[in-house]
Amino acid sequence: MTVVRTSVKVRPSPTSSQVFIRMKMSALRALCGVMLLSLAVPTSARPKAGPDQKCKSGPVDLVFLIDSSRSVRPHEFETMRKFMIDILNTLDIGPDATRVGVVQYSSQVRTEFSLKEHSDVDSMVKGINLIVPLAQGTMTGLAIKYMMNVAFSPEEGDRPKVANVAVIVTDGRPQDRVAEVAAEARDKGVEIYAVGVARADMASLRAMASPPFEDHVFLVESFDLIHQFGLQFQDKLCGVDLCLESDHGCEQVCESSPGSFHCLCLPGYTLNPDGKTCAAIDLCAEGKHDCEQICVSSPGSFSCDCNKGYELNEDKKTCSMIDHCSFGNHSCEHVCVSVLSGYHCRCSDGYRLLEDGSSCRAVDLCAEGKHDCEQICVSAPGVFTCDCNKGFKLNQDKKTCTDMDVCNTVQHGCEHQCVSTPGSFHCVCPEGQLLQDDGRSCGTCKSANIDLVFLIDGSKSVRPQNFELVKKFVNQVIDSLDVSARGTRVGLVQYSSRVRTEFPLNMYHTAEEIKAAVLKVDYMEKGTMTGLALKHMLENSFSAAEGARPNVPRIGLVFTDGRSQDDISEFAKKAKEAGVTMYAVGVGKAVEDELREIASEPVDKHFYYTADFTAISTIAENLKLNVCPEESQGEIEVKDPCACDSLVEFQQATMSSLAQFTQKLAAMTTRLEQLENQLLSRK
């Protein structure tokens, strides 16, 4: 008959981790794979089993997953190697008993030996001693996935209906995600124990381990302490525990010793004189605290709190008034002012608080008529400045305005005549001459012969009905040209994912032939390789073989409705460097930056855009491809200068009408602003 001796000597309270482990000891003994969890308790006084005694707890498939990253020093890895060997010496190893596999990982994962490879301790020890550390990163998530899919597979020796136990030993924070893959492994029945050493991250250990965490998570300060686990395993798994096998009567914690036991209390409690029951330690009631305002007691400990309207500081002892504005839910539009009972709102300078107590409105002195500007009042919150209508300048008093004749105040550079408009000017030329591209000089309209190549977008996004509008656009431009064998020549290239010459410069010699050929062009569809089309134009379309002529201006007109799928920069630049004048016409989703990169200087005169295909006819009307290019050389037909007279007259009439309209608009705008200010001042 066993005699149970009860010691009532008062001992210090155990730590939380010690208590949790002792309370879960019966669960740990059910499975040999839980050995590492019992390893974290302090060394007991129970005599150790001899070296030939083995735990007989049923078959288990156990896999060690060991961290061999570069942060694990050589002597630490040797300690981990000894730790595994010590565990093996306590297990009943065999094909029908406990099987053990070892996997090491860093930035990659490698099986050192599988569950089926060794059936005795000696061969396992030899395999462990042959392990060479990988010494790279810490891809723990990758290792868990490998363990789940490979190490615990029938091919590697995993047995059906046998418990799967994994022991992960690591010294650092994982460099990949572990929570999801660890959860998947647990769902598949793998019981995971996470042992962290030194630099290991507790949050990551908890993310990997099976619940409850107090039974499956361990964190020690150094690798030197791991050997304590092995020393405790056989004792805790195989020894007789009187606390579990007798009616000890301890209220909280029973601690066994050889042939006896004694009672302990949880942290925050003290053992009563009866040696079995416990009483809570109230430090607040005993005045053993340093809280500034409120002391909240818990057994053997305390925490501090604050009165209403205050919050606890980082020292967890003193209190500060709560900044209600810092919560971010105050609804103040401008400035939140915190007070003890809450907060109130305030507006920035130049604004006033509205009746809702949170919104602010700018004080608009212009709208309130509180200004003395003659023409335009420019409002800013709480202040204003004066400005003048176009064609006027602000006087030194910063209030009144004076009409200005721009032609007499600036170096306009007009060769013939400067015409002032409100705030600007334009140049005009004498009858029979045209204003040149510089907007200043005048010249006689001479030859209008060019070599023109159209690059039209035939990508899928254009769509068939719009492609017909594009062909109509091309023919509309052709109508404005003097097409002939020795006059203007036209070529057409269509592009999508590839480039196709529809007809070269030397194929047709009349506008009617070209327009008929355009209408017969078939829609290509597919991609948008604008850069490839520019390359084709430069290297093929403007070659002598396809009809390009020396000393005749060369013009390329690119029409597209979207972003190019290749680079346009190189050949857009090369085309312009080769003397080709480039026009860029974009519709719909065409990218303005690409169009501007294609267009020649000045860009504004060589770049056109419209959002709708139905409006491209307007662009065709505005394209002045045929207006007075430099006089061609060689045997080229020279057009009659008189042909430009109508254009000169139209230009002069248009500029005159525009100037009159602008002046009337400025006067009307001034009058409307005066009426608006009068109405506001009456409110």
Side-chain angles (χ1 to χ4, degrees), residues 51 62 105 107 128 182 206 263 392 405 410-411 429 437 489 544 579 603 608 659:
L62 171 64
Y105 72 94
S107 296
I128 291 174
R206 292 170 67 89
C263 298
F392 296 82
D405 183 354
V410 299
Q411 294 292 329
C429 295
D437 288 342
R489 294 184 181 180
V603 173
Y608 298 88

Side-chain angles (χ1 to χ4, degrees), residues 304-315:
C304 299
D305 202 355
C306 299
N307 297 322
K308 187 175 181 180
Y310 291 84
E311 62 182 353
L312 201 62
N313 294 328
E314 290 185 359
D315 62 5

Side-chain angles (χ1 to χ4, degrees), residues 457-663:
D457 184 352
S459 61
K460 186 177 182 180
S461 60
V462 174
R463 300 189 179 181
Q465 63 271 27
N466 290 331
F467 190 72
E468 294 302 313
L469 294 176
V470 174
K471 292 194 289 186
K472 183 178 179 181
F473 163 82
V474 173
N475 282 344
Q476 192 173 354
V477 175
I478 292 171
D479 282 336
S480 67
L481 304 175
D482 182 17
V483 178
S484 68
R486 302 180 66 182
T488 292
R489 294 184 181 180
V490 177
L492 178 63
V493 174
Q494 183 184 177
Y495 70 96
S496 58
S497 297
R498 57 190 179 87
V499 183
R500 183 174 72 202
T501 297
E502 302 294 348
F503 52 86
L505 290 166
N506 57 5
M507 179 170 286
Y508 302 111
H509 304 305
T510 67
E512 289 72 20
E513 290 176 332
I514 294 174
K515 291 167 65 176
V518 169
L519 294 177
K520 294 179 182 178
V521 171
D522 292 328
Y523 180 34
M524 293 177 68
E525 296 191 1
K526 298 190 178 179
T528 309
M529 304 295 284
T530 310
L532 184 62
L534 289 168
K535 181 177 186 292
H536 180 88
M537 176 199 72
L538 183 61
E539 295 178 354
N540 298 284
S541 301
F542 284 122
S543 66
E546 294 200 3
R549 297 166 291 179
N551 304 319
V552 173
R554 296 179 178 181
I555 294 178
L557 193 154
V558 178
F559 186 101
T560 181
D561 82 321
R563 182 185 295 275
S564 176
Q565 295 173 339
D566 61 353
D567 179 63
I568 66 168
S569 302
E570 179 182 357
F571 286 95
K573 180 180 178 182
K574 286 184 176 180
K576 288 178 280 189
E577 289 176 347
V580 180
T581 301
M582 295 299 302
Y583 285 79
V585 178
V587 181
K589 296 182 180 180
V591 180
E592 181 176 345
D593 289 343
E594 290 187 355
L595 296 174
R596 290 182 172 273
E597 189 169 2
I598 294 171
S600 294
E601 295 290 339
V603 173
D604 292 342
K605 292 190 177 183
H606 295 82
F607 155 72
Y608 298 88
Y609 174 82
T610 180
D612 189 356
F613 275 87
T614 59
I616 60 177
S617 61
T618 304
I619 293 178
E621 293 174 0
N622 293 330
L623 270 172
K624 306 299 182 183
L625 300 179
N626 223 16
V627 178
C628 296
E630 292 182 6
E631 184 174 356
S632 303
Q633 299 179 12
E635 296 181 358
I636 305 297
E637 293 179 358
V638 178
K639 295 182 66 177
D640 187 353
C642 296
C644 295
D645 289 351
S646 59
L647 183 58
V648 173
E649 291 174 0
F650 173 78
Q651 181 186 37
Q652 292 175 339
T654 300
M655 298 303 294
S656 177
S657 298
L658 180 62
Q660 294 175 6
F661 175 79
T662 305
Q663 290 174 349

Side-chain angles (χ1 to χ4, degrees), residues 266-409:
L266 296 172
Y269 293 83
T270 183
L271 195 66
N272 291 326
D274 63 6
K276 295 183 179 293
T277 60
C278 301
I281 301 172
D282 189 345
L283 297 179
C284 290
E286 296 176 7
K288 297 178 180 179
H289 69 88
D290 49 1
C291 298
E292 182 180 6
Q293 292 186 358
I294 300 174
C295 177
V296 180
S297 181
S298 58
S301 182
F302 68 90
S303 61
C304 299
D305 202 355
C306 299
N307 297 322
K308 187 175 181 180
Y310 291 84
E311 62 182 353
L312 201 62
N313 294 328
E314 290 185 359
D315 62 5
K316 304 300 182 183
K317 300 176 183 178
T318 59
C319 300
S320 299
M321 188 176 75
I322 295 174
D323 182 3
H324 295 277
C325 295
S326 65
F327 298 156
N329 59 353
H330 51 72
S331 77
C332 293
E333 184 177 355
H334 280 189
V335 181
C336 175
V337 180
S338 184
V339 294
L340 184 61
S341 59
Y343 68 88
H344 65 263
C345 300
R346 188 175 65 199
C347 295
S348 303
D349 293 340
Y351 294 80
R352 62 170 62 97
L353 193 66
L354 300 183
E355 293 182 358
D356 62 6
S358 59
S359 303
C360 298
R361 178 180 296 167
V363 179
D364 190 343
L365 297 179
C366 293
E368 296 176 5
K370 299 177 180 179
H371 68 89
D372 50 1
C373 299
E374 180 181 3
Q375 290 188 358
I376 300 175
C377 177
V378 181
S379 181
V383 296
F384 69 90
T385 57
C386 297
D387 200 357
C388 298
N389 296 321
K390 192 172 183 180
F392 296 82
K393 63 179 180 180
L394 196 64
N395 295 326
Q396 291 185 350
D397 60 6
K398 302 300 181 182
K399 300 176 183 179
T400 60
C401 300
T402 300
D403 189 6
M404 60 179 181
D405 183 354
V406 178
C407 287
N408 293 328
T409 57

Side-chain angles (χ1 to χ4, degrees), residues 28 34 37 191-195 205 209-218:
L28 299 177
V34 299
L37 306 169
E191 187 170 8
I192 300 177
Y193 300 95
V195 180
L205 296 176
S210 299
F213 296 139
E214 58 267 24
D215 292 343
H216 295 79
V217 177
F218 298 92

